Structure formats: structure tokens, C-alpha cells
Amino acid sequence: AKRDPGTSYRYYDRELHITAGHQLRLEADLRNALRGNELEVYYQPRIDLATEEVRGVECLLRWNHPQRGLVGPDEFIPVAERSGLIVPIGYWVIEQACKRLKEADGLGYPGLVFAVNLSFRQFHDRKMTETIFRIIFNANIDTSLLELELTESAMMHDPEYAQRCLRELNQLGISFALDDFGTGFSSLSNLQHLPISLVKIDKSFVQELGHSADAEHIIRAIISLAHSLQISVVAEGVETEGQLEFLRQQHCDEIQGYYYARPMPWERLVEFLNNQGKA
Ligand code: C2E
Ligand code: CA
Ligand code: CA
Ligand code: CA
């Protein structure tokens, strides 16, 4: 039987309507969240495989929603990107990172690297370099400890502008990591022409280790390519000893994953660091 086009249209329309309403609601909530202190940054340690020490932390957003509890970034970052709210939120995360960087220094962890994620949408902001400069200047931090993580697709909207931002920020001492490397549109020329000091192997490859020979080949190739260009490698999503051992054998520089530690609130991270020192 043929579908009644009128009915399916109405159904479609109603679904769209609900989705748009839901989106607007989330957007309004998120706007309040930024003002109302509901956003929080969690920190996940990154471990140096050679020394077994914590080299740095990745800053990961969480939302303590008054009704829904803790909401993960996969749920609200797309909304923040569509509405543009990710621009002020993104600057707020950099401010938090700078503040914690200072605190870590005071607590006796002076060399800890703080990595912050950048959204493609932040590269639409014409005042990106200027704003980040103001934040790090006011915070008075050692800029070599601030690392910004971006995906290659983040620069696609306006590659020239994005490259200029990277160069200007790099001149201030900030370093860059290519995130989710190997997924999407990886281009070898990016590694050569952009001020990239680190690549992060996406967890989708790491989690295939032991199940797929392809994943092993890809990881080996990424590490050897990066190293030949003097670029360090972090593997993310390491959950098992087997994955860790493979990465160690391949001379991966650092790992990040539940095997060592999950993302955690600042206070817990400080405890974690203190215990590491004593171990
Ligand atoms: P990402 O940048 O690829 O971050 C790594 C994600 O892997 C994090 O998810 C982290 O919690 C998770 N992860 C780490 N180790 C393991 C592991 O061993 N197993 C598994 N299954 N997962 C692991 P999270 O925190 O949910 O963040 C998801 C994504 O949200 C991030 O992916 C990043 O793209 C985005 N995001 C988070 N915070 C920010 C932010 O401040 N700004 C922007 N623009 N994006 C952010
Ligand atoms: Ca990241
Ligand atoms: Ca990833
Ligand atoms: Ca990502």
C-alpha cells in the first residue's frame, strides 16, 4: 500500500518541531549553565610511558544539570556548537585550565601540561588569538604548559585563518595537538606545515587492538610517521594491559585511558597526583 504523503509530512513536521524545541530548551539551559556555575572541568591524566609519570592532563567539560545530573560533552557540545555558545564556553575552559595550572605549580607540580580541546566553531571567531592572548596574559602562566587539541576538520572552514591563529598562538609558546588522528580527513601535509608537536591516536584504533591486525598496522604507521617528523604520540582510550604493552613496544610516548585513570574533578586529581608521588 502506498503511504499517504500528507500523513508522513505531518509526522515529519512534528518530529522536526520537537527536535527544534528540544534544541532551544537545551540551548537556554546551557546559557544559564555557563552563568550559573553548572559547568565543570574534569581532568584526565596522561602518563609518560618511559618514566611512568603524569606528564599532563586533558581538560574535559562536564555539565552538572540541576534536573538531569551529570551530562557528558557528547550530549551538549553539538548544541553549544550550533548555537555558537561554544565560543564563550571554550574561553572559559581555557581560563579554568590556566587557573589550575597555577594551582598545580603551587602544589609542587610545576611541569604539568594542561591540554584543552578547541571546537571548529571557535575558529569562526575573528578575535580568537587576541582573546586567548588576553586570557593567558592575565593568568600569567608559563605558556609552554598550555596545549590546544584540535581535529584536522576544525580548520576546514577557513584554513588560512586557522593556520594564522595556530602560528600566532604558537609564537606565544602554546603548542598544538592533532586530536582523533587517523579518523576523518588526515592529511600528511598538516603534520608538516602546521605547528603540531603531538598527535593523539583515536581510541577507536586502540580499542581494536587484539581484534584487528589493521589497527596494529595503523598505530605502528602513525607512530613511525610522527616520530620521523619529531612529533610525539599520545594514545587515548587505553583500557587494558595488553593495549598498554603493545603501545609500549611501539614506543608510543604517552597514554591516556581508564587503565590508568578516568577523567576526575580537580580535587580528586590533586589526590591522585599526591598518591602517585608517594607510590
Ligand atoms: P576527545 O577529545 O576525543 O576526548 C577523549 C574522550 O575519551 C573523553 O570523553 C574521555 O573521557 C574518553 N576516554 C578517555 N579514556 C578512555 C578510555 O579508556 N575508554 C573510553 N571508552 N573512553 C575514554 P568525554 O570526556 O566524554 O569527551 C567527549 C568529547 O567531547 C571529547 O573527545 C571532545 O571532543 C569533546 N570535549 C570535551 N570537553 C571539551 C571542551 O572543553 N571543548 C570542546 N570543544 N570539546 C570538548
Ligand atoms: Ca581531545
Ligand atoms: Ca578521540
Ligand atoms: Ca573529539
Side-chain angles (χ1 to χ4, degrees):
K2 253 174 111 183
R3 272 224 190 103
D4 175 358
T7 311
S8 65
Y9 175 75
R10 270 198 303 277
Y11 181 68
Y12 186 59
D13 188 50
R14 198 183 56 192
E15 270 213 322
L16 260 189
H17 190 71
I18 290 168
T19 312
H22 182 67
Q23 152 101 9
L24 281 177
R25 176 67 200 279
L26 255 179
E27 209 179 296
D29 279 2
L30 197 52
R31 212 174 286 276
N32 288 328
L34 180 60
R35 275 198 298 252
N37 277 327
E38 290 166 23
L39 295 182
E40 186 175 356
V41 179
Y42 273 40
Y43 302 85
Q44 186 179 31
R46 238 164 64 187
I47 281 84
D48 186 316
L49 276 179
T51 62
E52 308 249 335
E53 277 168 6
V54 180
R55 267 287 286 138
V57 292
E58 178 172 8
C59 303
L60 295 159
L61 262 174
R62 298 291 181 265
W63 180 3
N64 292 302
H65 192 283
Q67 280 89 45
R68 296 169 57 204
L70 201 64
V71 182
D74 287 334
E75 257 190 87
F76 66 84
I77 288 199
V79 177
E81 287 176 333
R82 254 175 310 212
S83 60
L85 267 173
I86 193 67
V87 175
I89 290 175
Y91 292 135
W92 179 80
V93 178
I94 297 176
E95 277 170 9
Q96 295 301 302
C98 291
K99 177 179 127 188
R100 298 311 193 186
L101 202 157
K102 279 288 216 199
E103 261 180 80
D105 187 24
L107 290 167
Y109 304 101
L112 209 62
V113 172
F114 281 70
V116 175
N117 291 285
L118 282 184
S119 158
F120 76 93
R121 191 63 171 72
Q122 293 178 264
F123 286 97
H124 293 205
D125 177 16
R126 292 283 139 183
K127 295 203 160 138
M128 177 156 142
T129 308
E130 205 180 308
T131 309
I132 294 179
F133 174 73
R134 192 154 24 83
I135 294 170
I136 60 180
F137 182 80
N138 288 337
N140 190 26
I141 55 151
D142 175 354
T143 53
S144 71
L145 297 176
L146 184 63
E147 198 172 85
L148 299 176
E149 299 189 358
L150 68 155
T151 59
E152 298 177 285
S153 58
M155 293 177 287
M156 282 188 341
H157 169 69
D158 185 347
E160 264 171 48
Y161 175 67
Q163 283 180 31
R164 199 171 80 224
C165 290
L166 261 56
R167 291 223 173 76
E168 288 171 353
L169 291 168
N170 186 239
Q171 272 160 14
L172 298 173
I174 295 174
S175 55
F176 289 92
L178 278 185
D179 212 348
D180 300 349
F181 195 74
T183 68
F185 304 91
S186 290
S187 147
L188 301 183
S189 78
N190 281 336
L191 287 182
Q192 216 183 354
H193 298 300
L194 296 173
I196 300 295
S197 46
L198 194 112
V199 300
K200 296 190 81 172
I201 300 178
D202 193 61
K203 59 174 176 285
S204 59
F205 297 116
V206 174
Q207 295 182 345
E208 277 298 305
L209 283 174
H211 310 287
S212 124
D214 282 352
E216 287 188 19
H217 297 317
I218 291 170
I219 290 176
R220 250 193 223 116
I222 292 176
I223 294 174
S224 107
L225 171 71
H227 283 174
S228 68
L229 296 168
Q230 263 80 52
I231 292 171
S232 300
V233 183
V234 178
E236 67 175 28
V238 177
E239 293 183 357
T240 70
E241 180 128 34
Q243 293 162 353
L244 172 71
E245 275 321 310
F246 176 82
L247 292 159
R248 198 197 293 283
Q249 276 163 25
Q250 302 307 316
H251 306 289
C252 183
D253 300 279
E254 294 174 47
I255 63 151
Q256 180 182 336
Y258 296 172
Y259 181 78
Y260 269 110
R262 292 183 177 248
M264 55 188 108
W266 175 252
E267 293 70 25
R268 287 243 323 278
L269 178 77
V270 172
E271 283 172 30
F272 180 88
L273 292 172
N274 288 340
N275 291 334
Q276 281 278 118
K278 277 179 223 124

